[in-house]
Amino acid sequence: MIEEGSKSSKSMVEKRQLFMEMRAQNFDVIRLSTYRTACKLRFVQKRCNLHLVDVWNMIEAFRDNGLSTLDHNAEINVSRLETILSSIFYQLNKRLPTTHQINVEQSIGLLLNFIVATYDSEGHGKLTVFAMKAMLATMCGGKILDKLRYIFSQISDSNGVMVYAKFDQFLREVLKLPTAVFEGPSFGYTEHSVRTCFPQQKKILLNTFLDVLMADPPPQYLVWLPLMHRLANVENVFHPVECSYCRSESMMGFRYRCQQCHGYQLCQSCFWRGHASGPHSNQHQMKEHSSWKSPAKKLSHAISKSLGCMPIGEPPHPVFPEAAERPQDLAHTTTLESPSRLDEEHRLIARYAARLAAEASNSTQCPPTDLSFNFDANKQQRQLIAELENKNREILQEIQRLRLEHEQASQPTPEKAQQNPTLLAELRLLRHRKDELERRMSALQESRRELMVQLEGLMRLLKDEEQKQASQTGSSPHSSPSHSASCTMPMPIRSTSAGSTPTHTPQDCLAGVGDDVLDAFSQGVPRNLRNDLLVAADSITNTMSSLVKELHSVDDGLEDEEENMRNGREKVSSLKHSGKRQSTPSF
């Protein structure tokens, strides 16, 4: 019972960890609810490392986990949600360099607890597929345009027309995010949310959907969404301007300039907290700046605008064709490392470059009324080509870096070899063993040749003796047994005495041979030594084969070598013993 209570208390602490850290940031001192909500959600995004996951990687994770084929109202349990989050963050770590790896387990735990607290407050342990898609697609990194296009593909029909019921469902799910960070009274869902965004009698296509949600200002219920993306873009922006309230000589992030008080500017910290000084009041209209332009740039910009050298206002998003928006499930894409992906990008860049050149050549023949349209189209195409070239350059650099790392890791260096003296000693010992076995094999080959020569001599001798006995038997068939016995009786090999000459017998030619040969020729019927000699030759051949096997198995280890050497010594000793018994005759 005590252990169960400690586990449950630990689980509660982990669930509240993210909210405790968010409270420690003291975001509640921000005066405006829009900035307060955007800052809180941006903190959750960065703390869970969702800002490192692009929306396209998120869509690919949906497809890999089989969510693209499920109905929006289908429910998944918490264990499967944890599996999906694990695949997202482990794939993220594969894309990041080794010096920027994240703590995957911690990110999974924080994000899982936040999603459960947001969408399963009653503790059922389940949530819908559409709720998870809407939450992750909204809180991940990437451009807001790409996010809204994916969201529209999920809430539109096959004709590319937005379904109001699905958009209402999207608002229900996405507005639970401000409620989760305690901003529900300002941005909670109401029954009039859809009506305030779109008139229900109008057919909404993709471009109209983007016009409304990316307008300035956007719909009141979603005003925090584009602000969260602007916060991400200005976190490292520097303004060399002094704050009129805190007198800080530089600003980071947003810069706010009063439209009534000349030269009065505030940093984002002072503006968010409602600070004011002198004649300035919080009721004055302030303009938000996300970048810094020098007076010279402002003057050139104003002159260009007055002379008509640049368009007065740019659209908030490119105009897409009025066709059904294809569901973004990335089923047709490949990984960045595949060569087909690189070839496809090269062909895409070449195709856009050719189209741009063709339109540039045709623009000289267009009437003056089409100049502005061609200028806008060419500008968009140039921007697209620049983005594709930058992406292609990054991919090629990453592939080159990975290739160099692989080559450096696979090539053995002299330093690595010198750092392992045990390996060098084992290699020297193996070479020594190999040389020794080669010398032994050469010696055994020489012995084999000598034994074969002896074998041929003995066989010739045996054949001659058989012919002699056959001739004697044929020439004197009636000879007495005593005469025959006198030819085959054992006699001394050599008989010498002082004052007499040595007498040679037929057995004198067998001097120096083994006892088996002598016994064979000393008896009446000579033994057939051919089989014995062939067995000796086979034994020599088998010994040579085993020695060759020993030579080829040197690299298998020192223990095997010692065993083989022991066996080789035993065989060599047996060969020496048999050699003594079967020595060569003296001619």
Side-chain angles (χ1 to χ4, degrees), residues 80-91:
R80 184 172 182 184
L81 174 61
E82 185 176 4
T83 303
I84 296 171
L85 298 182
S86 300
S87 66
I88 292 173
F89 286 112
Y90 278 111
Q91 290 296 327

Side-chain angles (χ1 to χ4, degrees), residues 1 7 20 32 42 58 75 90-91 154 188 191 219 225 242 284 288 302-303 360 364 385 412 425 440-441 448 487 585:
M1 295 296 293
K7 289 182 180 179
M20 294 169 62
L32 300 176
R42 175 63 178 169
M58 192 67 71
E75 293 184 341
Y90 278 111
Q91 290 296 327
Q154 301 297 306
E191 296 179 356
L225 180 58
E242 182 183 17
H284 291 179
E288 180 185 278
I303 293 174
T364 56
I385 291 174
R440 287 177 54 200
M441 187 178 72
R448 182 174 180 271
C487 297

Side-chain angles (χ1 to χ4, degrees), residues 426-468:
E426 292 180 356
L427 290 175
R428 285 194 294 268
L429 182 60
L430 288 175
R431 293 193 188 99
H432 178 71
R433 297 290 186 188
K434 183 178 180 181
D435 295 339
E436 182 180 354
L437 288 174
E438 288 178 349
R439 289 193 297 269
R440 287 177 54 200
M441 187 178 72
S442 301
L444 286 176
Q445 287 177 348
E446 185 64 27
S447 300
R448 182 174 180 271
R449 284 193 296 270
E450 293 177 358
L451 289 174
M452 292 301 294
V453 171
Q454 295 175 10
L455 178 63
E456 291 178 358
L458 289 173
M459 292 182 69
R460 286 196 301 269
L461 181 62
L462 182 62
K463 185 176 181 181
D464 294 341
E465 185 64 23
E466 290 177 350
Q467 291 176 356
K468 287 180 181 180

Side-chain angles (χ1 to χ4, degrees), residues 264-409:
Y264 193 90
Q265 302 189 76
L266 293 176
C267 63
Q268 70 176 18
S269 178
C270 294
F271 175 75
W272 288 356
R273 287 161 175 76
H275 295 163
S277 61
H280 179 70
S281 172
N282 290 330
Q283 305 301 322
H284 291 179
Q285 184 180 3
M286 302 290 288
K287 185 176 181 180
E288 180 185 278
H289 294 272
S290 58
S291 62
W292 163 256
K293 291 182 181 179
S294 63
K297 287 185 178 180
K298 291 181 181 178
L299 179 60
S300 63
H301 183 79
I303 293 174
S304 300
K305 184 181 294 185
S306 62
L307 294 178
C309 298
M310 59 179 299
I312 298 176
E314 295 183 357
H317 64 85
V319 179
F320 295 95
E322 297 294 342
E325 182 71 1
R326 180 180 180 181
Q328 304 294 334
D329 57 355
L330 294 186
H332 57 286
T333 60
T334 57
T335 57
L336 292 177
E337 291 80 5
S338 61
S340 60
R341 174 67 178 268
L342 296 177
D343 297 339
E344 182 180 357
E345 291 187 353
H346 284 301
R347 289 194 298 268
L348 186 61
I349 294 173
R351 185 164 61 251
Y352 275 108
R355 185 185 299 176
L356 180 62
E359 292 183 356
S361 61
N362 294 332
S363 62
T364 56
Q365 303 175 0
C366 295
T369 57
D370 296 333
L371 290 178
S372 61
F373 174 79
N374 290 335
F375 180 84
D376 294 338
N378 291 338
K379 183 176 181 180
Q380 293 177 7
Q381 291 172 354
R382 285 195 298 270
Q383 291 177 353
L384 180 60
I385 291 174
E387 292 177 0
L388 291 174
E389 289 177 347
N390 292 333
K391 188 68 175 178
N392 185 54
R393 193 179 301 110
E394 293 175 0
I395 294 172
L396 293 176
Q397 291 176 357
E398 183 67 15
I399 292 175
Q400 184 66 21
R401 184 185 66 81
L402 293 174
R403 185 181 292 113
L404 292 176
E405 289 181 359
H406 178 71
E407 292 176 355
Q408 292 176 0

Side-chain angles (χ1 to χ4, degrees), residues 60 110 127 242 275 348 352 355 362 416 420 451 459 465 491 525 530 552 572 584:
E60 186 177 4
L110 291 175
L127 70 158
E242 182 183 17
H275 295 163
L348 186 61
Y352 275 108
R355 185 185 299 176
N362 294 332
K416 293 182 179 178
N420 196 350
L451 289 174
M459 292 182 69
E465 185 64 23
M491 297 179 65
V525 180
R530 181 176 301 173
H552 287 293
V572 170
T584 57

Side-chain angles (χ1 to χ4, degrees), residues 14-304:
E14 292 178 352
K15 289 182 179 179
R16 295 177 180 176
Q17 178 183 355
L18 184 63
F19 296 101
M20 294 169 62
E21 294 179 1
M22 185 178 63
R23 289 183 183 276
Q25 299 296 320
N26 200 18
F27 291 121
D28 291 331
V29 300
I30 299 177
R31 181 171 56 95
L32 300 176
S33 61
T34 303
Y35 287 98
R36 191 167 58 244
T37 305
C39 288
K40 289 181 178 180
L41 292 178
R42 175 63 178 169
F43 172 79
V44 173
Q45 183 190 49
K46 294 181 66 177
R47 188 66 182 86
C48 297
N49 290 314
L50 276 175
H51 66 295
L52 301 175
V53 183
D54 190 80
V55 62
W56 301 108
N57 301 129
M58 192 67 71
I59 299 170
E60 186 177 4
F62 294 159
R63 176 182 60 83
D64 293 339
N65 288 276
L67 300 180
S68 300
T69 58
L70 294 179
D71 186 77
H72 283 175
N73 296 323
E75 293 184 341
I76 59 175
N77 53 25
V78 177
S79 60
R80 184 172 182 184
L81 174 61
E82 185 176 4
T83 303
I84 296 171
L85 298 182
S86 300
S87 66
I88 292 173
F89 286 112
Y90 278 111
Q91 290 296 327
L92 171 63
N93 252 1
K94 292 181 181 179
R95 295 190 298 269
L96 294 176
T98 55
T99 56
H100 293 77
Q101 297 288 302
I102 65 171
N103 190 339
V104 175
E105 298 298 332
Q106 185 181 31
S107 301
I108 294 172
L110 291 175
L111 183 56
L112 180 65
N113 291 329
F114 179 75
I115 295 177
V116 171
T118 304
Y119 294 98
D120 188 28
S121 58
E122 298 181 358
H124 296 301
K126 294 182 179 180
L127 70 158
T128 63
V129 173
F130 185 73
M132 189 197 63
K133 285 185 176 181
M135 183 271 171
L136 293 177
T138 303
M139 292 295 294
C140 69
K143 298 179 180 180
I144 187 173
L145 176 64
D146 298 332
K147 293 182 180 182
L148 294 177
R149 288 184 61 195
Y150 172 71
I151 292 170
F152 185 82
S153 69
Q154 301 297 306
I155 63 174
S156 58
D157 57 15
S158 59
N159 297 321
V161 180
M162 188 189 75
V163 180
Y164 281 91
K166 291 184 178 181
F167 180 70
D168 180 74
Q169 184 182 4
F170 167 73
L171 286 182
R172 287 176 184 270
E173 304 299 344
V174 79
L175 289 179
K176 290 179 182 178
L177 294 173
T179 304
V181 294
F182 314 106
E183 297 296 334
S186 301
F187 301 103
Y189 172 80
T190 63
E191 296 179 356
H192 306 287
S193 300
V194 179
R195 203 172 303 164
T196 57
C197 295
F198 298 103
Q200 294 190 5
Q201 69 274 10
K202 187 176 180 181
K203 186 171 72 171
I204 306 300
L205 300 177
L206 174 61
N207 291 318
T208 307
F209 180 80
L210 296 177
D211 289 339
V212 173
L213 294 187
M214 298 185 66
D216 189 16
Q220 179 60 29
Y221 291 99
L222 296 174
V223 68
W224 52 269
L225 180 58
L227 179 58
M228 186 176 68
H229 287 79
R230 296 205 306 273
L231 280 173
N233 294 331
V234 301
E235 285 181 347
N236 299 319
V237 174
F238 175 76
H239 304 269
V241 182
E242 182 183 17
C243 178
S244 300
Y245 180 84
C246 66
R247 299 302 176 184
S248 176
E249 296 182 356
S250 60
M251 301 181 188
M252 292 294 292
F254 285 121
R255 174 172 55 90
Y256 298 90
R257 182 165 56 87
C258 181
Q259 301 298 298
Q260 299 182 20
C261 303
H262 178 70
Y264 193 90
Q265 302 189 76
L266 293 176
C267 63
Q268 70 176 18
S269 178
C270 294
F271 175 75
W272 288 356
R273 287 161 175 76
H275 295 163
S277 61
H280 179 70
S281 172
N282 290 330
Q283 305 301 322
H284 291 179
Q285 184 180 3
M286 302 290 288
K287 185 176 181 180
E288 180 185 278
H289 294 272
S290 58
S291 62
W292 163 256
K293 291 182 181 179
S294 63
K297 287 185 178 180
K298 291 181 181 178
L299 179 60
S300 63
H301 183 79
I303 293 174
S304 300

